């Protein structure tokens, strides 16, 4: 709530009274002290703003005194400019007449501020009375009175120079009983002049309503015809609902407005609104002539022109006298619409609700029709809330949607100093938002519910203008503080509109309920259309997204199949047909344009050596309803090329019955070729590794071969000596020759064994005595053991056990493990170097061999990596020996392990299945 400061005041009655004045101030007997005391207890609400001045309605909190009107600066930034304008208006008081002007009765001033007091508290500014287009039959009486007030002003020798809707004030004329029960008076004389000698407009006027003469770029001076141009701007806006120039309205700059007035031509009213008679349109366009000589030359001529326009109205409207009450509103209607509640407390109260009593139905109908032009849901909600608050005069509004048993707030609108703001939201209704009893009653009954200031609720059931649910008293005197209207869709409540005015109690009348009923009915239809449209858009968007996703998925699948050489298929069991993807057609070499094959054609594609086994596997899986997994070769239909295929198919059930199989077929020819190349490379690498290992044992091999050679030489010499004796000792010579043969065979076996280790031969699986293989490797490694001073501990199983495998590859594994153990102990000097080899049988099905050393050992982390290719713990190792050993053992259906030996060294063990 705002209050005026207590400041120095002077009463204008001390000045000389004007000769033309017919009214004397009612407060002339009040002294300054009493008036100052009362001013501190006044509250106020805005009426209008023009230039730097704001007009306010002021009332006493005790409601014992009639309301006043005051004029003061509309902001602290405009104090100096407003004081200048108000002092100028006060100086013109002797010229002003209360019959046609709102006349200051006192002033309150300081060094920097100026406030004028008026006794006219029950007035309405034109910009609040007619913010939208009004019908011609309602326009003519109001326009005539505006012209009449302008004529009186000009007759007093005064040119206003800033006429705009904020300067015209309307109230009830209680002195008349002849139908002319409304007065139109002029205010805002801060720029007025007493002579016709015009000058460019001072800064601070209302640029949208200034004449071309105000720009200073015209050869004509500002005179009374400039005021008539401003009337023409107002008449155009009152009939069209918008200004004749400027698309962006009040957002244009002063310079842009001046350009509009000088260079822009207005569109005649009857060209876009057929309800406006041509004579009335011509009258307004004459007022808007750029050349003052072509306009009406006086307000009296304008009044005559307005009276002549009445016969041009439709028959129903022509029955209204041209200067009768505004749209036949009664004096009681106007008094009710301009009445200020004594209990109003908030200084920011808006006056929109005060105009309902004289606002015409046609503008409300046009507003309702405007809702049908919105189809986007968010825009429609914004429009519904703005139009509703604006035409009903509410301070706050809620749009509520009913979803089952839950009610949701979809939009909240508020009237602020800058206009109506609408916030889209989605929140559950609570008692903090509105009275739940009022909402529930509206939703359950399906009727309009109104709340009075005392909290009582009233249900309105009739949709007729004369609501029979009201008491017998005048309906417009029935005032409400809140309204809740259900939104109906085919008789079903789908939501509600809730409106309230907290700053102006008893703000709503029966006419407001009728306006809201019209808007709510159209809003329900428009909302449903918008929701259906939004649902359609969402469905179309979802379909478009699904189609786009499907296309992207199909493209990705196609590219994925091409990259991976994998085709997909559907095999229909009943029809015996296999539908193939584009990639599978390419793999099978099918002719162009054919995307399916029969079961017989599928079997014909298979390699003859694989056909029987594959078909047997497929038929068995189908019979059991299981997964099909096959690898086979095909002979392509296009070129007969043999390709390796890996296929998998899974059953697809419909209603518990397997009707088809879906799966993939991958061309693994390249993989098979790579595997073959890898096996060959591994074989070559193993041969090289064996040769390298044999090379490391050169000394030991030479020692082993040297022994039988020396024995052969010794036996040969002994045999010769036995033969040289007389008589010859043939038996001894024969025994020596037998030894030579034996040693020669032993040397030959050793050479053949070394050759087999280094020769690139295919593996031959046969029964092998594993203990004998261990002893043979130790015999080869004996010189290396002696050179490195390694002690040998053997604990071999006593039984003659055999395994199935390749002797050369088993020797390679044993030799690699022994050499690794010897090398691991080569640098050990602080403890004994011991190589332990043991074998034992586990579970009667396999034999395990362990090779242990007391060398440097390895970490737990190394035990899992030593079998990886190119990973080594040796300084000069290649990292391939153990990887080859593991692959050899696994190819023999065994397993090679590594672990840490405590307290020192390592343990390598492997097991092989026993030969049957």
């Amino acid at each position: 709530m705002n209050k005026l400061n207590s400041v120095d005041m002077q009463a204008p009655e001390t000045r000389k009274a004007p000769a033309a004045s017919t009214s004397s101030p009612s407060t002339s007997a009040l002294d300054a002290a009493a008036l100052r005391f009362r001013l501190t207890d006044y509250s106020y609400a805005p009426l209008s703003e023009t230039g730097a001045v704001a007009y306010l309605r002021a009332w006493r909190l005790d409601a014992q005194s009639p309301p006043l009107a005051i004029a003061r600066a509309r902001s602290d930034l405009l104090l100096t400019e407003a004081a200048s304008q108000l002092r100028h208006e006060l100086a013109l008081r002797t010229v002003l007449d209360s019959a046609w002007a709102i006349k200051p009765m006192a002033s309150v001033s300081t060094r920097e501020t100026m406030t004028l007091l008026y006794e006219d508290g029950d007035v309405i500014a034109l910009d609040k009375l007619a913010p939208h287009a009004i019908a011609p039959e309602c326009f003519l009486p109001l326009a005539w009175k505006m012209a009449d007030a302008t004529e009186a002003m000009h007759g007093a020798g005064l040119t206003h120079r800033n006429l705009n809707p904020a300067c015209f004030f309307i109230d009830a004329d209680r002195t008349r009983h002849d139908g002319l029960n409304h007065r139109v008076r002029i205010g805002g004389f801060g720029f007025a002049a007493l002579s016709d000698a015009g000058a460019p407009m001072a800064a601070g006027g209302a640029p949208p309503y200034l004449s071309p003469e105000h720009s200073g770029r015209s050869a004509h001076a500002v005179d009374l015809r400039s005021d008539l141009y401003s009337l023409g701007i107002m008449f155009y806006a009152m009939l069209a609902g918008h200004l004749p120039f400027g698309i962006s309205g009040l957002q244009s700059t002063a310079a842009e407005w001046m350009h509009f007035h000088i260079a822009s031509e207005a569109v005649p009213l009857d060209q876009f609104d057929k309800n406006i008679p041509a004579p009335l349109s011509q009258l307004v366009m004459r007022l808007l002539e750029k050349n003052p000589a072509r306009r009406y030359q006086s307000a009296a001529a304008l009044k005559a022109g307005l009276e002549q326009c009445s016969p041009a109205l439709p028959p129903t409207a022509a029955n209204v006298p041209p200067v009768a009450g505004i749209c036949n509103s009664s004096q009681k209607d106007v008094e009710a619409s301009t009445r200020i509640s004594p209990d109003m407390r908030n200084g920011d109260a808006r006056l929109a609700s005060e105009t309902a009593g004289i606002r015409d139905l046609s503008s409300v109908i046009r507003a309702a029709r405007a809702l049908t032009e919105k189809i986007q849901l968010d825009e429609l909600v914004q429009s519904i809330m703005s139009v509703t608050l604006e035409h009903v005069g509410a301070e706050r509004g809620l749009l509520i949607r009913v979803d089952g048993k839950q009610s949701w707030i979809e939009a909240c609108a508020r009237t602020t100093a800058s206009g109506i703001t609408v916030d889209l939201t989605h929140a559950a209704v609570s008692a903090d938002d509105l009275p739940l009893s009022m909402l529930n009653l509206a939703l359950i009954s399906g009727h309009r519910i109104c709340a009075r200031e005392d909290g009582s609720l009233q249900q309105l059931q009739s949709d007729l203008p004369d609501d029979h649910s009201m008491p017998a008293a005048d309906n417009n005197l029935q005032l409400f503080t809140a309204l809740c209207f259900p939104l109906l869709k085919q008789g079903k409540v789908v939501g509600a509109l809730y409106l309230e005015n907290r700053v102006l109690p008893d703000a709503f009348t029966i006419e407001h309920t009728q306006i809201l009923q019209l808007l709510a009915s159209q809003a329900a239809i428009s909302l449903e259309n918008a929701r259906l449209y939004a649902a359609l858009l969402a469905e179309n968007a979802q379909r478009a997204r699904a189609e786009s996703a499907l296309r992207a998925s199909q493209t990705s699948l196609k590219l994925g199949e091409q990259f991976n050489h994998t085709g997909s298929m559907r095999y229909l069991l009943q029809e015996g047909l296999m539908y193939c993807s584009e990639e599978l057609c390419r793999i099978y070499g099918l002719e162009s344009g054919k995307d399916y094959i029969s079961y017989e054609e599928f079997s014909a594609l298979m390699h003859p050596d694989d056909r029987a086994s594959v078909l047997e596997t497929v038929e068995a899986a189908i019979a059991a309803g299981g997964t099909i997994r096959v690898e086979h070769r095909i002979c392509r239909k296009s070129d007969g090329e043999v390709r390796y295929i890996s296929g998998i198919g899974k059953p697809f059930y419909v209603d518990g019955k397997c009707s088809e199989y879906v799966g993939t077929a991958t061309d693994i020819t390249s993989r098979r070729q790579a595997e073959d190349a890898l096996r060959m490379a591994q074989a070559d690498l193993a041969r090289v590794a064996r040769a390298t290992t044999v090379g490391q044992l050169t000394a030991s091999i030479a020692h082993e071969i040297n022994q039988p050679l020396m024995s052969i030489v010794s036996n040969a010499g002994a045999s010769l000596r036995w033969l040289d004796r007389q008589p010859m000792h043939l038996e001894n010579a024969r025994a020596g020759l037998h030894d030579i043969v034996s040693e020669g065979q032993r040397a030959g076996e050793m050479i053949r064994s070394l050759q087999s280790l280094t020769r690139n031969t295919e593996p031959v699986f046969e029964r092998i005595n594993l203990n004998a293989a261990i002893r043979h490797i130790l015999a080869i490694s004996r010189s290396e053991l002696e050179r490195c001073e390694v002690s040998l501990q053997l604990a071999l199983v006593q039984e003659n056990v055999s395994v199935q495998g390749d002797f050369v590859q088993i020797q390679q594994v044993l030799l690699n493990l022994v050499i690794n153990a010897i090398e691991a102990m080569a640098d050990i000097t602080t403890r004994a170097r011991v190589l332990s080899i043991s074998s034992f049988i586990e579970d009667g099905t396999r034999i395990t061999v362990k090779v242990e050393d007391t060398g440097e050992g390895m970490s737990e982390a190394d035990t899992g990596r030593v079998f990886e290719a190119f990973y080594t713990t040796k300084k000069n190792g290649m990292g391939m020996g153990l990887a080859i050993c593991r692959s050899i053992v696994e190819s023999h259906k065994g397993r090679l392990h590594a672990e840490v030996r405590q307290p020192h060294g390592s343990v390598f063990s492997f097991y092989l299945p026993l030969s049957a």
Side-chain angles (χ1 to χ4, degrees):
M1 182 181 296
N2 299 308
K3 297 182 178 181
L4 291 174
N5 297 324
S6 177
V7 294
D8 293 336
M9 185 278 304
Q10 66 180 92
E13 283 67 32
T14 60
R15 304 174 185 267
K16 182 179 178 180
S21 176
T22 60
S23 63
S24 60
S26 61
T27 60
S28 60
L30 297 176
D31 58 25
L35 185 56
R36 183 188 313 115
F37 173 78
R38 293 186 180 184
L39 285 175
T40 60
D41 292 332
Y42 272 69
S43 298
Y44 60 94
L47 285 173
S48 67
E49 294 180 353
T50 177
V53 176
Y55 287 87
L56 310 169
R57 174 179 285 109
W59 65 94
R60 286 286 301 273
L61 298 181
D62 54 13
Q64 295 178 358
S65 302
L68 302 175
I70 68 170
R72 61 182 300 181
R74 60 186 176 93
S75 75
D76 292 340
L77 298 177
L78 300 173
L79 289 175
T80 303
E81 184 178 349
S84 174
Q85 295 175 20
L86 293 174
R87 288 190 178 96
H88 181 71
E89 179 175 342
L90 186 63
L92 295 174
R93 184 183 179 281
T94 57
V95 182
L96 303 180
D97 190 332
S98 297
W100 52 267
I102 59 169
K103 183 176 179 180
M105 67 177 182
S107 65
V108 180
S109 62
T110 65
R111 291 181 180 179
E112 299 178 352
T113 64
M114 182 74 174
T115 302
L116 297 184
L117 309 180
Y118 307 83
E119 62 180 349
D120 309 285
D122 291 331
V123 294
I124 307 171
L126 179 63
D127 58 348
K128 300 295 191 298
L129 175 67
H132 304 285
I134 59 177
E137 59 267 25
C138 296
F139 163 82
L140 283 174
L142 180 58
W144 189 92
K145 291 189 176 184
M146 293 171 64
D148 185 62
T150 304
E151 180 187 18
M153 178 182 66
H154 290 167
L158 197 63
T159 303
H160 193 281
R161 294 156 52 97
N162 186 32
L163 279 182
N164 62 80
C167 296
F168 280 93
F169 297 88
I170 298 94
D171 65 345
D173 187 354
R174 297 175 178 82
T175 65
R176 309 282 304 257
H177 302 284
D178 55 358
L180 303 177
N181 47 17
H182 298 94
R183 286 191 302 180
V184 176
R185 291 183 290 170
I186 304 174
F189 296 97
F191 300 100
L194 282 171
S195 66
D196 287 340
M201 179 63 187
Y209 300 91
L210 300 182
S211 69
E213 300 90 274
H214 285 84
S215 67
R217 290 179 281 175
S218 171
H220 304 280
V222 176
D223 57 17
L224 58 87
R225 294 172 299 179
S226 303
D227 289 346
L228 298 183
Y229 181 93
S230 299
L231 278 178
I233 299 288
M234 287 183 276
F235 286 178
Y236 193 104
M238 291 165 66
L239 289 168
H242 57 80
L243 294 170
F245 314 120
I247 298 177
S248 57
L250 295 177
Q251 296 179 358
S252 299
T253 64
E256 289 172 337
W257 281 118
M258 284 294 98
H259 181 77
F260 291 148
H261 293 308
I262 294 173
S264 295
E265 291 289 340
V267 178
L269 292 165
D270 58 346
Q271 288 191 12
F272 60 85
D273 191 345
K274 301 304 180 183
N275 295 321
I276 299 176
L280 182 57
S281 175
Q282 294 168 3
L283 179 146
V284 175
M285 298 306 294
R286 182 177 176 183
L287 289 173
L288 295 179
E289 284 288 345
K290 308 300 181 184
N291 187 346
R294 297 178 181 175
R295 301 175 198 152
Y296 286 99
Q297 299 301 299
S298 68
L302 174 60
K303 288 169 56 180
L306 288 170
E307 293 173 357
Q308 293 175 2
C309 289
S310 181
L313 295 175
T316 56
N319 295 330
V320 181
V323 292
I326 302 174
C327 288
N328 287 335
S329 297
S330 67
Q331 178 175 337
K332 186 179 296 183
D333 293 336
V334 178
E335 291 178 351
S337 67
T338 60
R339 186 169 66 87
I340 295 296
S341 172
D343 296 328
M344 185 170 70
R345 294 293 184 263
N346 195 318
D348 292 332
R350 300 186 62 86
L351 301 180
S353 64
E354 300 176 359
T355 66
I358 54 176
R359 185 175 295 150
D360 62 293
L361 182 61
S362 60
S363 65
V364 179
I365 295 176
R366 280 196 294 271
R369 288 175 179 172
L371 297 181
T372 63
E373 301 174 359
K374 304 291 184 181
I375 195 63
Q376 295 289 346
L377 187 57
D378 289 351
E379 294 180 2
L380 176 63
V381 171
Q382 294 264 2
S383 181
I384 288 174
M385 301 307 293
S386 299
V387 168
T388 303
L389 263 68
E390 192 171 352
H391 281 78
V392 180
E395 179 264 337
R396 177 173 172 268
L398 299 175
L399 178 62
I400 299 169
R401 179 175 61 87
V402 177
D403 185 6
K405 296 183 179 180
Q406 181 67 51
S407 299
W408 300 91
I409 297 176
E410 298 295 337
C412 176
R414 294 182 182 275
T415 302
T416 65
S418 58
I420 296 175
T421 61
V422 181
D423 296 325
L424 302 181
T425 181
H426 182 73
V429 173
S430 67
D432 296 332
D433 301 310
L434 76 163
L436 295 181
S437 58
M438 187 177 185
L439 174 63
N440 293 334
L441 183 58
L443 297 180
I444 294 173
S445 66
H447 297 298
R448 300 170 288 169
I449 306 299
C450 305
R452 300 184 182 275
E453 187 178 5
D454 59 4
S456 62
L457 302 180
Q458 182 169 344
Q459 177 175 308
L460 305 181
Q461 299 181 357
S462 174
D463 292 332
L464 298 174
D466 184 14
D467 200 321
H468 301 291
S469 67
M470 300 299 300
D474 191 343
N475 285 345
N476 277 331
L477 295 181
Q478 302 297 324
L479 304 177
F480 310 104
T481 60
L483 306 173
C484 188
F485 278 40
L487 300 178
L488 302 177
K489 172 192 171 185
Q490 298 178 350
K492 179 182 177 181
V493 177
V494 296
L497 271 174
Y498 172 78
L499 303 176
E500 66 181 12
N501 196 325
R502 298 179 182 177
V503 299
L504 184 61
D506 295 336
F508 306 123
T509 65
I510 290 298
E511 183 169 356
H512 288 106
T513 66
Q514 296 164 358
I515 293 174
L516 185 58
Q517 180 70 13
L518 175 62
L519 295 177
S521 300
Q522 184 58 55
I525 298 173
S526 299
L527 280 173
E528 180 60 20
N529 291 339
R531 285 198 176 94
L532 292 174
Y533 180 72
L536 179 61
L537 290 181
E539 181 181 351
N540 290 341
Q542 183 178 6
R543 182 182 295 109
R545 288 194 298 269
E547 292 174 353
S548 177
L550 179 59
R551 286 192 296 269
S553 176
Q554 290 175 337
T555 302
S556 299
L557 178 60
K558 182 177 179 180
L559 292 176
E561 289 186 350
Q562 292 176 357
F563 294 154
N564 295 311
H565 304 292
T566 300
S568 55
M569 62 86 182
R570 290 176 60 233
Y571 176 47
L572 306 182
L573 299 179
Q574 183 104 19
E575 294 83 355
L577 297 177
M578 179 188 295
Y579 287 88
C580 307
S581 67
E582 184 177 337
E583 178 63 14
L584 188 56
C585 291
R586 186 197 65 80
I587 293 173
Y588 285 165
L590 303 182
E591 54 267 26
S592 177
K594 185 174 184 180
D595 61 352
Y596 68 92
I597 55 176
S598 64
Y599 188 73
E600 291 74 15
E601 290 175 311
F602 171 67
S603 61
L605 283 173
M606 295 182 195
H607 194 280
D609 295 343
D610 300 338
R611 184 178 297 128
S613 62
V614 171
L615 294 180
E616 181 181 353
T617 301
V618 170
E619 292 170 0
I622 292 176
T627 300
I628 302 173
R629 297 180 186 273
V630 291
E631 283 195 12
H632 59 92
R633 291 167 293 176
I634 64 167
C635 298
R636 288 162 53 98
K637 292 189 67 174
S638 57
D639 52 15
E641 181 184 0
V642 176
R643 311 291 293 180
Y644 287 88
I645 303 297
S646 175
I648 182 172
K650 290 192 175 183
F652 184 79
Y653 289 88
V654 177
D655 298 331
K657 181 180 179 182
C658 179
S659 60
E660 63 182 77
Y661 268 75
V662 294
T664 61
T666 304
D667 186 347
I668 60 172
T669 304
S670 298
R671 190 181 78 188
R672 282 292 186 92
Q673 292 172 348
E675 290 174 352
D676 293 342
L678 178 61
R679 280 194 295 271
M680 293 177 63
Q682 287 176 336
D684 291 340
L685 185 59
R687 181 178 60 81
V688 172
R690 289 195 298 269
T692 302
T693 304
V694 171
Q696 293 175 347
L697 298 176
T698 303
S700 179
I701 293 171
H703 175 74
E704 292 299 322
I705 296 177
N706 189 49
Q707 284 184 342
L709 290 178
M710 290 178 62
S711 178
I712 291 173
V713 172
S714 298
N715 285 323
S719 299
L720 288 175
R721 286 193 296 272
W722 288 115
L723 291 174
D724 288 340
R725 287 190 180 188
Q726 292 297 332
M728 291 183 296
H729 291 262
L730 295 178
E731 289 300 326
N732 291 338
R734 187 179 288 109
L737 292 175
H738 281 297
D739 290 339
I740 290 172
V741 172
S742 177
E743 291 299 327
Q745 291 175 346
R746 188 162 72 90
E749 288 295 330
M750 187 170 293
I751 292 172
R752 282 193 295 272
S753 177
L754 293 174
Q755 287 177 338
S756 64
L757 281 172
T758 57
R759 186 178 298 140
N760 187 17
T761 58
E762 290 292 327
V764 177
F765 282 75
E766 57 186 356
R767 290 173 63 91
I768 300 171
N769 188 320
L770 194 55
N771 288 343
I774 293 173
R775 289 190 173 91
H776 180 73
I777 291 302
L778 289 176
I780 295 176
S781 308
R782 183 166 52 189
S783 296
E784 193 69 15
L785 291 170
E786 293 174 354
R787 184 181 66 82
C788 294
E789 299 179 352
V790 175
S791 301
L792 178 63
Q793 292 182 353
L794 280 180
L796 303 180
V797 64
Q798 296 298 320
E799 307 170 16
N800 272 333
V801 292
S802 300
V803 296
Q804 195 75 15
D806 182 77
F807 186 73
V808 173
Q809 291 184 349
I810 296 300
Q811 280 185 315
Q812 180 178 357
V813 172
L814 292 170
L815 183 58
N816 194 288
L817 296 179
V818 169
I819 294 301
N820 285 348
I822 294 173
E823 291 180 348
M825 296 183 287
D827 298 332
I828 300 300
T829 59
T830 59
R831 57 181 177 272
R833 303 169 186 165
V834 179
L835 173 64
S836 300
I837 300 178
S838 61
S839 65
F840 52 90
I841 296 176
E842 290 185 294
D843 302 330
T845 59
R846 63 187 186 185
I847 182 171
T848 299
V849 177
K850 278 190 176 183
V851 179
E852 304 178 48
D853 63 73
T854 59
E856 296 177 353
M858 56 185 169
S859 65
E860 289 289 349
D862 289 334
T863 59
R865 300 193 60 193
V866 292
F867 298 109
E868 296 178 6
F870 305 110
Y871 181 82
T872 180
T873 57
K874 299 178 183 180
K875 293 181 180 179
N876 300 316
M878 296 175 57
M880 293 301 300
L882 290 175
I884 294 173
C885 289
R886 167 168 277 192
S887 65
I888 291 174
V889 171
E890 290 179 350
S891 68
H892 285 72
K893 300 181 181 179
R895 191 70 180 170
L896 177 60
H897 300 276
E899 57 185 282
V900 178
R901 181 181 181 276
Q902 299 298 336
H904 306 288
S906 304
V907 178
F908 286 86
S909 61
F910 67 90
Y911 67 80
L912 296 173
L914 293 174
S915 178

